C-alpha cells in the first residue's frame, strides 16, 4: 500500500506561493494558468517553469526556485490544520505537482482518503 501511494505522489501533479496557488484563469489565447503567475504570461516566458522546453513538462526544480524548498513551504502553511505541506504520512517532501497544476484543475492528494478543505487552495 505505501509503495503505491508513493508512486502516486511521484506520478501525480503542487505549486505553492505564500500558501496560495492562485485561481485558474485564461491567460493567453485559450491557455489557462494561475492568476499569481500572470506576470510570466505577460512576458510570454514559458521557459521559466518549463526550463527550456515550452511544450515539455514543467520541473519540480522550477517550483522550488521561486517558492522555496519543501521545508520553507511547510513553514508558510504551519497554521493550517492539517498542514497540507507537512503531511503526517510523508512529511514535507511531497513533490509540488502531486497536488498543484498550472494549466489544469489541481487536486488535493489528502482527499483521496480524507475530506479536508484548505481555505487558500484553488482548483
Amino acid at each position: 500500500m505505501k509503495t503505491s501511494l508513493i508512486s502516486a505522489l511521484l506520478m501525480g501533479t503542487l505549486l505553492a506561493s505564500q500558501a496560495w496557488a492562485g485561481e485558474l484563469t485564461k491567460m493567453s489565447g485559450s491557455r489557462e494558468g494561475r492568476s499569481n503567475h500572470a506576470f510570466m504570461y505577460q512576458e510570454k516566458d514559458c521557459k521559466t517553469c518549463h526550463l527550456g522546453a515550452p511544450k515539455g513538462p514543467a520541473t519540480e526544480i522550477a517550483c522550488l526556485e521561486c517558492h522555496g524548498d519543501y521545508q520553507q513551504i511547510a513553514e508558510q502553511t504551519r497554521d493550517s490544520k492539517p498542514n497540507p505541506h507537512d503531511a503526517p504520512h510523508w512529511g514535507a517532501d511531497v513533490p509540488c505537482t502531486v497536488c498543484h497544476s498550472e494549466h489544469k484543475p489541481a487536486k488535493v492528494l489528502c482527499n483521496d482518503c480524507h475530506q479536508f478543505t484548505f481555505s487558500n487552495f484553488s482548483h
Side-chain angles (χ1 to χ4, degrees):
M1 172 95 173
K2 186 174 182 177
T3 302
S4 64
L5 289 174
I6 291 170
S7 295
L9 287 173
L10 296 174
M11 298 302 292
T13 59
L14 177 115
L15 183 67
S17 171
Q18 301 298 320
W20 184 67
E23 297 291 330
L24 188 59
T25 186
K26 270 198 176 166
M27 287 293 174
S28 176
S30 63
R31 174 65 61 201
E32 289 189 322
R34 298 289 162 184
S35 58
N36 64 322
H37 293 147
F39 67 95
M40 289 188 292
Y41 292 93
Q42 291 166 354
E43 296 171 9
K44 297 184 178 180
D45 191 11
C46 299
K47 293 178 184 178
T48 298
C49 298
H50 293 276
L51 299 180
K55 300 219 183 231
T59 67
E60 191 73 11
I61 292 167
C63 300
L64 300 175
E65 282 182 1
C66 290
H67 299 285
D69 66 26
Y70 298 122
Q71 296 301 322
Q72 291 169 320
I73 295 167
E75 180 62 23
Q76 291 173 8
T77 56
R78 71 183 174 277
D79 294 333
S80 293
K81 302 297 180 213
N83 185 342
H85 299 113
D86 192 9
H89 307 297
W90 303 286
D93 296 331
V94 176
C96 301
T97 55
V98 169
C99 297
H100 300 274
S101 178
E102 177 66 17
H103 300 297
K104 59 186 176 183
K107 181 179 186 274
V108 178
L109 176 71
C110 299
N111 285 350
D112 285 352
C113 299
H114 305 278
Q115 288 302 304
F116 297 128
T117 302
F118 298 108
S119 60
N120 291 330
F121 190 83
S122 297
H123 297 267

